[in-house]
Amino acid sequence: MKTYKVLLPKTKMSKEIKIRIPSWLSEEEFKKAVNELVSELSGVVSIEELRRELGIRPEDLTEDLEVYDVKELREKEKRRIK
């Protein structure tokens, strides 16, 4: 039996609950289910759930940036200011 501390939605109060997780359910799956339930009750959505709902993949969140020569940029800016 494990004890979990649960933060109540829209309050600063928390409660401790003791739950026995069946052997066929992993602890990660249980935590996910509880988080989803609390989200639905409180109207709060985790960023992971929002990304999943919108179909946003991790590779969609990256951008290729150009590499600049800092010395060259400084010289260019000095010439511009003069």
Side-chain angles (χ1 to χ4, degrees):
M1 186 167 308
K2 291 207 172 201
T3 302
Y4 295 93
K5 196 169 207 171
V6 178
L7 184 63
L8 299 175
K10 299 182 182 178
T11 70
K12 294 183 180 180
M13 300 184 326
S14 64
K15 292 280 186 183
E16 284 189 5
I17 57 173
K18 291 183 181 183
I19 296 178
R20 184 173 296 139
I21 301 173
S23 60
W24 52 266
L25 183 64
S26 75
E27 189 171 339
E28 288 302 315
E29 289 174 332
F30 171 75
K31 285 181 180 179
K32 182 179 174 186
V34 169
N35 285 335
E36 287 178 8
L37 176 64
V38 170
S39 294
E40 287 179 23
L41 293 175
S42 65
V44 176
V45 179
S46 72
I47 190 68
E48 291 83 15
E49 185 178 337
L50 184 59
R51 286 179 182 160
R52 188 174 51 251
E53 291 289 324
L54 297 175
I56 299 173
R57 302 169 300 172
E59 55 268 16
D60 295 335
L61 301 173
T62 60
E63 278 189 45
D64 292 330
L65 301 176
E66 292 182 39
V67 178
Y68 292 103
D69 182 10
V70 175
K71 289 181 182 178
E72 182 182 323
L73 286 175
R74 284 184 185 147
E75 291 300 319
K76 187 176 180 181
E77 187 63 16
K78 284 180 184 177
R79 288 192 302 272
R80 187 188 70 82
I81 293 174
K82 289 182 181 181

Coordinates of all heavy atoms in Angstrom, one line a residue:
M1 N 0.9 -1.2 0.0 CA 0.0 0.0 0.0 C 0.9 1.2 0.0 O 1.9 1.3 0.8 CB -0.9 0.0 1.2 CG -1.9 1.1 1.1 SD -3.3 1.0 2.3 CE -3.9 -0.6 2.0
K2 N 0.6 2.2 -0.9 CA 1.4 3.4 -1.0 C 0.6 4.6 -0.5 O -0.7 4.6 -0.6 CB 1.8 3.6 -2.4 CG 2.8 2.6 -2.8 CD 3.7 3.2 -3.9 CE 4.8 2.2 -4.2 NZ 5.9 2.9 -4.8
T3 N 1.2 5.6 0.0 CA 0.6 6.8 0.4 C 1.0 7.9 -0.6 O 2.2 8.1 -0.9 CB 1.0 7.3 1.8 OG1 0.7 6.2 2.7 CG2 0.3 8.5 2.2
Y4 N 0.0 8.6 -1.1 CA 0.2 9.7 -2.0 C -0.3 11.0 -1.5 O -1.3 11.0 -0.8 CB -0.5 9.4 -3.4 CG 0.1 8.2 -4.1 CD1 -0.5 7.0 -3.9 CD2 1.2 8.4 -4.9 CE1 0.1 5.9 -4.6 CE2 1.7 7.3 -5.6 CZ 1.2 6.0 -5.4 OH 1.7 4.9 -6.0
K5 N 0.4 12.1 -1.7 CA -0.1 13.4 -1.3 C -0.8 14.0 -2.6 O -0.1 14.1 -3.6 CB 1.0 14.3 -0.8 CG 0.6 15.4 0.0 CD 1.8 16.1 0.7 CE 1.3 16.8 1.9 NZ 2.3 17.2 2.7
V6 N -2.0 14.4 -2.5 CA -2.7 15.0 -3.6 C -3.1 16.4 -3.3 O -3.6 16.7 -2.3 CB -4.1 14.1 -3.8 CG1 -4.8 14.7 -5.0 CG2 -3.7 12.7 -4.0
L7 N -2.7 17.3 -4.3 CA -3.1 18.7 -4.2 C -4.5 18.9 -4.7 O -4.7 18.5 -5.9 CB -2.1 19.5 -5.0 CG -2.3 21.0 -4.9 CD1 -2.1 21.5 -3.5 CD2 -1.3 21.7 -5.8
L8 N -5.4 19.4 -3.9 CA -6.7 19.6 -4.4 C -6.8 20.7 -5.4 O -6.2 21.8 -5.2 CB -7.6 19.9 -3.2 CG -7.7 18.8 -2.1 CD1 -8.5 19.2 -0.9 CD2 -8.2 17.5 -2.7
P9 N -7.6 20.5 -6.5 CA -7.7 21.5 -7.5 C -8.2 22.8 -7.0 O -9.1 22.9 -6.2 CB -8.7 20.9 -8.5 CG -8.8 19.5 -8.2 CD -8.4 19.3 -6.7
K10 N -7.6 23.9 -7.5 CA -8.1 25.3 -7.3 C -8.0 25.7 -5.8 O -8.6 26.6 -5.3 CB -9.5 25.6 -7.8 CG -9.6 25.4 -9.3 CD -10.9 25.7 -9.8 CE -11.0 25.4 -11.3 NZ -12.3 25.7 -11.9
T11 N -7.2 24.9 -5.0 CA -6.9 25.2 -3.6 C -5.5 25.1 -3.3 O -4.7 24.5 -4.1 CB -7.8 24.3 -2.7 OG1 -7.2 23.0 -2.7 CG2 -9.2 24.4 -3.0
K12 N -5.1 25.5 -2.1 CA -3.7 25.3 -1.7 C -3.6 24.1 -0.7 O -2.6 23.9 -0.1 CB -3.1 26.5 -1.1 CG -2.9 27.6 -2.2 CD -2.3 28.8 -1.6 CE -2.1 29.9 -2.7 NZ -1.5 31.1 -2.2
M13 N -4.7 23.4 -0.5 CA -4.8 22.3 0.4 C -4.4 21.0 -0.2 O -4.5 20.9 -1.4 CB -6.2 22.2 1.0 CG -6.7 23.4 1.7 SD -8.4 23.3 2.4 CE -9.3 22.2 1.4
S14 N -3.9 20.1 0.6 CA -3.6 18.8 0.1 C -4.1 17.7 1.0 O -4.3 18.0 2.2 CB -2.1 18.6 -0.2 OG -1.4 18.7 1.0
K15 N -4.3 16.6 0.5 CA -4.8 15.4 1.3 C -3.8 14.3 1.1 O -3.3 14.1 0.0 CB -6.2 15.0 0.9 CG -7.3 16.0 1.3 CD -7.6 15.9 2.7 CE -8.8 16.9 3.0 NZ -9.1 16.8 4.4
E16 N -3.7 13.4 2.1 CA -2.9 12.2 1.9 C -4.0 11.1 1.7 O -4.9 11.0 2.4 CB -2.0 11.9 3.1 CG -0.8 12.7 3.1 CD 0.2 12.3 4.1 OE1 0.0 11.3 4.8 OE2 1.2 13.0 4.3
I17 N -3.7 10.3 0.7 CA -4.6 9.1 0.4 C -3.7 7.9 0.4 O -2.6 7.9 -0.1 CB -5.4 9.3 -0.8 CG1 -4.5 9.5 -2.1 CG2 -6.4 10.4 -0.7 CD1 -5.2 9.5 -3.4
K18 N -4.3 6.8 0.8 CA -3.6 5.5 0.7 C -4.3 4.6 -0.3 O -5.5 4.4 -0.2 CB -3.5 4.8 2.1 CG -2.6 5.5 3.1 CD -2.5 4.8 4.4 CE -1.7 5.6 5.3 NZ -1.5 4.9 6.6
I19 N -3.5 4.1 -1.2 CA -4.2 3.3 -2.3 C -3.4 2.0 -2.5 O -2.1 2.1 -2.5 CB -4.2 4.1 -3.6 CG1 -5.1 5.4 -3.4 CG2 -4.7 3.3 -4.8 CD1 -5.1 6.3 -4.6
R20 N -4.1 1.0 -2.7 CA -3.4 -0.3 -3.1 C -3.6 -0.5 -4.6 O -4.7 -0.5 -5.1 CB -4.1 -1.5 -2.3 CG -3.4 -2.8 -2.6 CD -3.9 -3.9 -1.7 NE -3.6 -3.6 -0.3 CZ -4.4 -3.8 0.7 NH1 -5.6 -4.3 0.5 NH2 -4.1 -3.5 1.9
I21 N -2.5 -0.5 -5.3 CA -2.5 -0.6 -6.7 C -2.5 -2.1 -7.1 O -1.6 -2.8 -6.6 CB -1.3 0.1 -7.4 CG1 -1.3 1.6 -7.0 CG2 -1.3 0.0 -8.9 CD1 -0.1 2.3 -7.4
P22 N -3.4 -2.6 -7.9 CA -3.4 -4.0 -8.3 C -2.1 -4.3 -9.1 O -1.5 -3.5 -9.7 CB -4.6 -4.1 -9.2 CG -5.4 -2.8 -9.1 CD -4.5 -1.8 -8.5
S23 N -1.7 -5.6 -9.0 CA -0.5 -6.0 -9.6 C -0.5 -5.8 -11.2 O 0.5 -5.7 -11.8 CB -0.2 -7.4 -9.3 OG -1.2 -8.3 -9.7
W24 N -1.7 -5.9 -11.8 CA -1.8 -5.8 -13.2 C -1.7 -4.3 -13.7 O -1.6 -4.1 -14.9 CB -3.1 -6.4 -13.7 CG -4.3 -5.9 -13.0 CD1 -4.9 -6.5 -12.0 CD2 -5.1 -4.8 -13.3 NE1 -6.1 -5.8 -11.6 CE2 -6.2 -4.7 -12.4 CE3 -5.0 -3.8 -14.3 CZ2 -7.1 -3.7 -12.4 CZ3 -6.0 -2.8 -14.3 CH2 -7.0 -2.7 -13.4
L25 N -1.7 -3.4 -12.8 CA -1.6 -2.0 -13.2 C -0.3 -1.4 -12.7 O 0.1 -1.5 -11.5 CB -2.7 -1.2 -12.5 CG -2.9 0.3 -12.9 CD1 -3.1 0.5 -14.4 CD2 -4.0 0.9 -12.1
S26 N 0.5 -0.9 -13.6 CA 1.8 -0.3 -13.3 C 1.6 1.0 -12.5 O 0.6 1.7 -12.7 CB 2.7 -0.1 -14.5 OG 2.3 1.1 -15.2
E27 N 2.6 1.4 -11.7 CA 2.5 2.6 -11.0 C 2.4 3.8 -11.9 O 1.7 4.8 -11.7 CB 3.7 2.8 -10.0 CG 3.5 3.9 -9.1 CD 4.6 3.9 -8.0 OE1 5.2 2.9 -7.7 OE2 4.8 5.0 -7.4
E28 N 3.1 3.8 -13.0 CA 3.1 4.9 -14.0 C 1.7 5.0 -14.6 O 1.2 6.2 -14.8 CB 4.2 4.7 -15.1 CG 5.6 4.9 -14.6 CD 5.8 6.3 -14.0 OE1 5.3 7.3 -14.7 OE2 6.4 6.4 -13.0
E29 N 1.1 3.9 -15.0 CA -0.3 4.0 -15.6 C -1.2 4.5 -14.5 O -2.1 5.3 -14.9 CB -0.7 2.6 -16.0 CG 0.0 2.1 -17.2 CD -0.3 0.7 -17.6 OE1 -0.7 -0.1 -16.6 OE2 -0.3 0.3 -18.7
F30 N -1.1 4.1 -13.3 CA -1.9 4.6 -12.2 C -1.8 6.2 -12.1 O -2.8 6.9 -12.0 CB -1.6 3.9 -10.9 CG -2.3 4.5 -9.7 CD1 -3.7 4.3 -9.5 CD2 -1.7 5.4 -8.9 CE1 -4.4 4.9 -8.5 CE2 -2.3 5.9 -7.8 CZ -3.7 5.7 -7.6
K31 N -0.5 6.6 -12.0 CA -0.3 8.1 -11.9 C -0.9 8.8 -13.0 O -1.5 9.9 -12.9 CB 1.2 8.3 -11.8 CG 1.8 8.0 -10.4 CD 3.3 8.3 -10.4 CE 3.9 7.9 -9.1 NZ 5.3 8.2 -9.0
K32 N -0.8 8.3 -14.2 CA -1.3 8.9 -15.4 C -2.8 9.0 -15.3 O -3.4 10.1 -15.6 CB -0.9 8.1 -16.7 CG -1.4 8.7 -18.0 CD -0.9 7.9 -19.1 CE -1.6 8.5 -20.4 NZ -1.3 7.6 -21.6
A33 N -3.5 8.0 -14.9 CA -5.0 7.9 -14.8 C -5.4 9.0 -13.7 O -6.4 9.7 -13.9 CB -5.4 6.5 -14.4
V34 N -4.7 9.0 -12.6 CA -5.1 10.0 -11.5 C -4.9 11.4 -12.0 O -5.7 12.3 -11.8 CB -4.3 9.7 -10.2 CG1 -4.4 10.8 -9.2 CG2 -4.7 8.4 -9.6
N35 N -3.8 11.7 -12.7 CA -3.5 13.0 -13.2 C -4.6 13.4 -14.2 O -5.0 14.6 -14.2 CB -2.1 13.1 -13.9 CG -1.0 13.1 -12.9 OD1 -1.2 13.5 -11.7 ND2 0.1 12.7 -13.2
E36 N -5.0 12.5 -15.1 CA -6.1 12.8 -16.0 C -7.4 13.1 -15.3 O -8.1 14.0 -15.7 CB -6.3 11.6 -17.0 CG -5.2 11.5 -18.0 CD -5.3 10.3 -18.9 OE1 -6.4 9.6 -18.9 OE2 -4.4 10.1 -19.7
L37 N -7.7 12.3 -14.3 CA -8.9 12.6 -13.5 C -8.9 13.9 -12.8 O -9.9 14.7 -12.9 CB -9.1 11.5 -12.5 CG -10.3 11.6 -11.5 CD1 -11.6 11.6 -12.3 CD2 -10.3 10.6 -10.4
V38 N -7.8 14.3 -12.2 CA -7.7 15.6 -11.5 C -7.8 16.7 -12.5 O -8.4 17.7 -12.3 CB -6.4 15.6 -10.7 CG1 -6.1 17.0 -10.2 CG2 -6.4 14.7 -9.5
S39 N -7.1 16.5 -13.7 CA -7.2 17.5 -14.8 C -8.6 17.8 -15.2 O -9.0 18.9 -15.4 CB -6.4 17.0 -16.0 OG -5.0 17.0 -15.7
E40 N -9.4 16.7 -15.4 CA -10.8 16.8 -15.8 C -11.6 17.5 -14.8 O -12.5 18.4 -15.1 CB -11.4 15.5 -16.2 CG -10.8 14.9 -17.5 CD -11.4 13.5 -17.7 OE1 -12.5 13.2 -17.2 OE2 -10.8 12.8 -18.5
L41 N -11.4 17.2 -13.5 CA -12.2 17.8 -12.4 C -11.8 19.3 -12.2 O -12.7 20.1 -11.9 CB -11.9 17.1 -11.1 CG -12.5 15.6 -11.1 CD1 -12.1 15.0 -9.8 CD2 -14.0 15.6 -11.2
S42 N -10.6 19.6 -12.4 CA -10.1 21.0 -12.2 C -10.1 21.9 -13.4 O -10.0 23.1 -13.3 CB -8.7 21.0 -11.6 OG -7.8 20.5 -12.5
G43 N -10.3 21.3 -14.6 CA -10.2 22.1 -15.8 C -8.8 22.4 -16.2 O -8.6 23.3 -17.1
V44 N -7.8 21.8 -15.6 CA -6.4 22.0 -16.0 C -5.9 20.9 -16.9 O -6.2 19.8 -16.6 CB -5.6 22.1 -14.7 CG1 -4.1 22.3 -15.0 CG2 -6.1 23.2 -13.8
V45 N -5.2 21.3 -17.9 CA -4.7 20.3 -18.8 C -3.1 20.3 -18.8 O -2.6 21.4 -18.9 CB -5.2 20.5 -20.2 CG1 -4.6 19.5 -21.2 CG2 -6.7 20.5 -20.3
S46 N -2.5 19.2 -18.7 CA -1.0 19.2 -18.7 C -0.6 19.5 -20.1 O -1.3 19.2 -21.1 CB -0.5 17.8 -18.3 OG -0.7 16.8 -19.3
I47 N 0.7 20.0 -20.2 CA 1.2 20.3 -21.6 C 1.3 19.1 -22.4 O 1.1 19.1 -23.6 CB 2.5 21.1 -21.4 CG1 3.0 21.7 -22.8 CG2 3.6 20.2 -20.8 CD1 2.1 22.7 -23.3
E48 N 1.7 17.9 -21.8 CA 1.8 16.7 -22.5 C 0.5 16.3 -23.1 O 0.4 15.9 -24.3 CB 2.4 15.5 -21.7 CG 3.8 15.7 -21.2 CD 4.0 16.6 -20.0 OE1 3.0 16.9 -19.3 OE2 5.1 17.1 -19.8
E49 N -0.6 16.4 -22.4 CA -1.9 16.0 -22.8 C -2.4 16.9 -23.9 O -2.9 16.5 -25.0 CB -2.9 16.1 -21.7 CG -4.3 15.6 -22.1 CD -5.2 15.6 -20.9 OE1 -4.8 15.5 -19.7 OE2 -6.5 15.6 -21.1
L50 N -2.1 18.2 -23.8 CA -2.4 19.2 -24.8 C -1.7 18.9 -26.1 O -2.3 18.9 -27.2 CB -2.1 20.6 -24.3 CG -2.5 21.8 -25.2 CD1 -4.0 21.8 -25.5 CD2 -2.1 23.1 -24.6
R51 N -0.4 18.6 -26.0 CA 0.3 18.3 -27.2 C -0.2 17.1 -27.9 O -0.3 17.0 -29.1 CB 1.8 18.1 -26.9 CG 2.5 19.4 -26.6 CD 4.0 19.2 -26.2 NE 4.6 20.5 -25.9 CZ 5.7 20.6 -25.2 NH1 6.3 19.5 -24.7 NH2 6.2 21.8 -24.9
R52 N -0.6 16.1 -27.1 CA -1.1 14.8 -27.6 C -2.4 15.1 -28.3 O -2.7 14.6 -29.4 CB -1.2 13.8 -26.5 CG -1.6 12.4 -27.0 CD -1.6 11.3 -25.9 NE -2.4 11.7 -24.7 CZ -1.9 12.1 -23.5 NH1 -0.6 12.0 -23.3 NH2 -2.7 12.4 -22.5
E53 N -3.3 15.9 -27.7 CA -4.6 16.2 -28.3 C -4.4 17.0 -29.6 O -5.2 16.8 -30.5 CB -5.4 17.0 -27.3 CG -5.9 16.3 -26.1 CD -7.0 15.2 -26.4 OE1 -7.8 15.5 -27.3 OE2 -6.9 14.2 -25.8
L54 N -3.4 17.9 -29.7 CA -3.2 18.7 -30.9 C -2.3 18.0 -31.9 O -2.1 18.5 -33.0 CB -2.6 20.0 -30.5 CG -3.5 20.9 -29.6 CD1 -2.8 22.2 -29.2 CD2 -4.8 21.3 -30.3
G55 N -1.8 16.8 -31.5 CA -0.9 16.1 -32.5 C 0.4 16.8 -32.7 O 1.0 16.7 -33.7
I56 N 0.9 17.4 -31.6 CA 2.2 18.1 -31.7 C 3.3 17.1 -31.3 O 3.3 16.7 -30.1 CB 2.3 19.4 -30.9 CG1 1.2 20.4 -31.4 CG2 3.7 20.0 -30.9 CD1 1.0 21.6 -30.5
R57 N 4.3 16.8 -32.1 CA 5.3 15.9 -31.8 C 6.5 16.7 -31.3 O 6.7 17.9 -31.6 CB 5.7 15.1 -33.0 CG 4.6 14.3 -33.6 CD 4.9 13.8 -34.9 NE 5.2 14.9 -35.8 CZ 5.7 14.8 -37.0 NH1 6.0 13.6 -37.5 NH2 6.0 15.8 -37.8
P58 N 7.4 16.1 -30.5 CA 8.6 16.8 -30.0 C 9.5 17.4 -31.1 O 10.0 18.5 -31.0 CB 9.4 15.7 -29.3 CG 8.4 14.7 -28.9 CD 7.4 14.7 -30.0
E59 N 9.6 16.7 -32.3 CA 10.3 17.3 -33.4 C 9.7 18.5 -34.0 O 10.4 19.3 -34.7 CB 10.6 16.2 -34.5 CG 9.4 15.5 -35.0 CD 9.1 14.2 -34.3 OE1 9.5 14.0 -33.2 OE2 8.3 13.5 -34.8
D60 N 8.4 18.7 -33.8 CA 7.7 19.9 -34.3 C 8.1 21.1 -33.4 O 7.9 22.2 -33.9 CB 6.2 19.7 -34.2 CG 5.7 18.6 -35.1 OD1 6.4 18.3 -36.1 OD2 4.6 18.1 -34.8
L61 N 8.7 20.9 -32.3 CA 9.0 22.0 -31.4 C 10.4 22.5 -31.5 O 10.9 23.3 -30.8 CB 8.8 21.6 -29.9 CG 7.3 21.1 -29.6 CD1 7.2 20.6 -28.2 CD2 6.4 22.3 -29.8
T62 N 11.2 22.0 -32.5 CA 12.6 22.4 -32.7 C 12.7 23.2 -33.9 O 11.9 23.1 -34.9 CB 13.5 21.2 -32.8 OG1 13.1 20.4 -33.9 CG2 13.5 20.3 -31.5
E63 N 13.6 24.1 -33.9 CA 13.9 25.0 -35.0 C 15.4 24.9 -35.3 O 16.2 24.9 -34.4 CB 13.6 26.4 -34.7 CG 12.1 26.7 -34.9 CD 11.9 28.2 -34.8 OE1 12.6 29.0 -35.5 OE2 10.9 28.6 -34.2
D64 N 15.7 24.9 -36.6 CA 17.1 25.0 -37.0 C 17.5 26.5 -37.0 O 16.9 27.3 -37.7 CB 17.4 24.3 -38.3 CG 17.2 22.8 -38.3 OD1 17.4 22.3 -37.2 OD2 16.8 22.3 -39.3
L65 N 18.5 26.8 -36.3 CA 19.0 28.2 -36.2 C 20.3 28.3 -37.1 O 21.1 27.4 -37.1 CB 19.3 28.6 -34.8 CG 18.1 28.5 -33.8 CD1 18.5 28.9 -32.4 CD2 17.0 29.4 -34.3
E66 N 20.4 29.5 -37.7 CA 21.6 29.8 -38.4 C 22.7 30.1 -37.5 O 22.5 30.7 -36.5 CB 21.4 30.9 -39.4 CG 20.4 30.6 -40.5 CD 20.2 31.8 -41.5 OE1 21.3 32.5 -41.7 OE2 19.1 32.0 -41.9
V67 N 23.9 29.7 -37.8 CA 25.1 30.0 -37.0 C 25.7 31.2 -37.6 O 26.0 31.3 -38.8 CB 26.1 28.8 -37.0 CG1 27.3 29.1 -36.2 CG2 25.4 27.6 -36.5
Y68 N 26.0 32.2 -36.8 CA 26.6 33.4 -37.2 C 28.0 33.6 -36.6 O 28.2 33.2 -35.5 CB 25.8 34.7 -36.8 CG 24.4 34.7 -37.5 CD1 23.2 34.3 -36.9 CD2 24.3 35.2 -38.8 CE1 22.0 34.4 -37.5 CE2 23.1 35.3 -39.5 CZ 22.0 34.9 -38.8 OH 20.8 35.0 -39.5
D69 N 28.9 34.3 -37.4 CA 30.2 34.6 -36.9 C 30.0 35.9 -36.0 O 29.7 36.9 -36.6 CB 31.1 34.8 -38.0 CG 32.5 35.1 -37.6 OD1 32.8 35.0 -36.4 OD2 33.4 35.5 -38.4
V70 N 30.3 35.7 -34.7 CA 30.0 36.9 -33.8 C 31.0 38.0 -34.2 O 30.5 39.2 -34.2 CB 30.2 36.4 -32.3 CG1 30.1 37.6 -31.4 CG2 29.2 35.3 -32.0
K71 N 32.2 37.8 -34.4 CA 33.2 38.8 -34.8 C 32.7 39.6 -36.0 O 32.7 40.8 -36.0 CB 34.6 38.3 -35.0 CG 35.2 37.8 -33.7 CD 36.6 37.2 -34.0 CE 37.2 36.7 -32.7 NZ 38.6 36.2 -33.0
E72 N 32.2 38.9 -37.0 CA 31.8 39.5 -38.2 C 30.5 40.4 -37.9 O 30.4 41.5 -38.4 CB 31.4 38.5 -39.2 CG 31.0 39.0 -40.6 CD 30.6 37.9 -41.5 OE1 31.2 36.9 -41.6 OE2 29.6 38.2 -42.3
L73 N 29.6 39.9 -37.1 CA 28.4 40.7 -36.7 C 28.8 41.9 -36.0 O 28.2 43.0 -36.2 CB 27.5 39.8 -35.9 CG 26.7 38.8 -36.7 CD1 25.9 38.0 -35.7 CD2 25.8 39.4 -37.7
R74 N 29.8 41.8 -35.1 CA 30.2 43.0 -34.3 C 30.8 44.1 -35.2 O 30.5 45.3 -35.1 CB 31.3 42.6 -33.3 CG 30.7 42.0 -32.0 CD 31.7 41.7 -31.0 NE 31.2 40.9 -29.9 CZ 31.8 40.1 -29.2 NH1 33.1 39.8 -29.5 NH2 31.2 39.4 -28.2
E75 N 31.7 43.6 -36.2 CA 32.3 44.6 -37.1 C 31.2 45.2 -38.0 O 31.2 46.4 -38.2 CB 33.3 43.8 -38.0 CG 34.5 43.4 -37.2 CD 35.3 44.6 -36.6 OE1 35.4 45.6 -37.3 OE2 35.7 44.4 -35.5
K76 N 30.2 44.4 -38.4 CA 29.2 45.0 -39.2 C 28.3 46.0 -38.5 O 28.0 47.1 -39.0 CB 28.3 43.8 -39.7 CG 27.2 44.2 -40.7 CD 26.5 43.0 -41.2 CE 25.4 43.3 -42.2 NZ 24.7 42.1 -42.6
E77 N 28.1 45.7 -37.2 CA 27.3 46.7 -36.4 C 28.1 47.9 -36.1 O 27.6 49.0 -36.1 CB 26.9 46.0 -35.0 CG 26.0 46.8 -34.2 CD 24.7 47.1 -34.8 OE1 24.3 46.4 -35.8 OE2 24.0 47.9 -34.2
K78 N 29.4 47.8 -35.9 CA 30.3 49.0 -35.7 C 30.3 49.9 -37.0 O 30.2 51.1 -36.9 CB 31.7 48.6 -35.4 CG 31.9 48.1 -34.0 CD 33.4 47.7 -33.8 CE 33.6 47.1 -32.4 NZ 35.0 46.6 -32.2
R79 N 30.3 49.2 -38.1 CA 30.3 50.0 -39.4 C 28.9 50.7 -39.5 O 28.8 51.8 -40.0 CB 30.6 49.1 -40.6 CG 32.0 48.7 -40.7 CD 32.3 48.0 -42.0 NE 31.5 46.8 -42.3 CZ 31.8 45.6 -41.9 NH1 32.9 45.3 -41.3 NH2 31.0 44.6 -42.3
R80 N 27.9 50.0 -39.1 CA 26.5 50.6 -39.2 C 26.4 51.8 -38.3 O 25.8 52.8 -38.7 CB 25.5 49.5 -38.9 CG 24.0 50.0 -39.2 CD 23.1 49.0 -38.6 NE 23.0 48.9 -37.2 CZ 22.3 49.8 -36.4 NH1 21.7 50.8 -36.9 NH2 22.4 49.7 -35.1
I81 N 26.9 51.7 -37.1 CA 26.8 52.8 -36.2 C 27.6 54.0 -36.6 O 27.1 55.2 -36.4 CB 27.2 52.3 -34.8 CG1 26.2 51.3 -34.3 CG2 27.3 53.5 -33.8 CD1 26.6 50.6 -33.0
K82 N 28.7 53.9 -37.2 CA 29.6 55.0 -37.6 C 28.9 55.9 -38.6 O 28.1 55.8 -39.3 CB 30.9 54.5 -38.2 CG 31.8 54.0 -37.1 CD 33.1 53.6 -37.7 CE 34.0 53.0 -36.6 NZ 35.3 52.6 -37.1

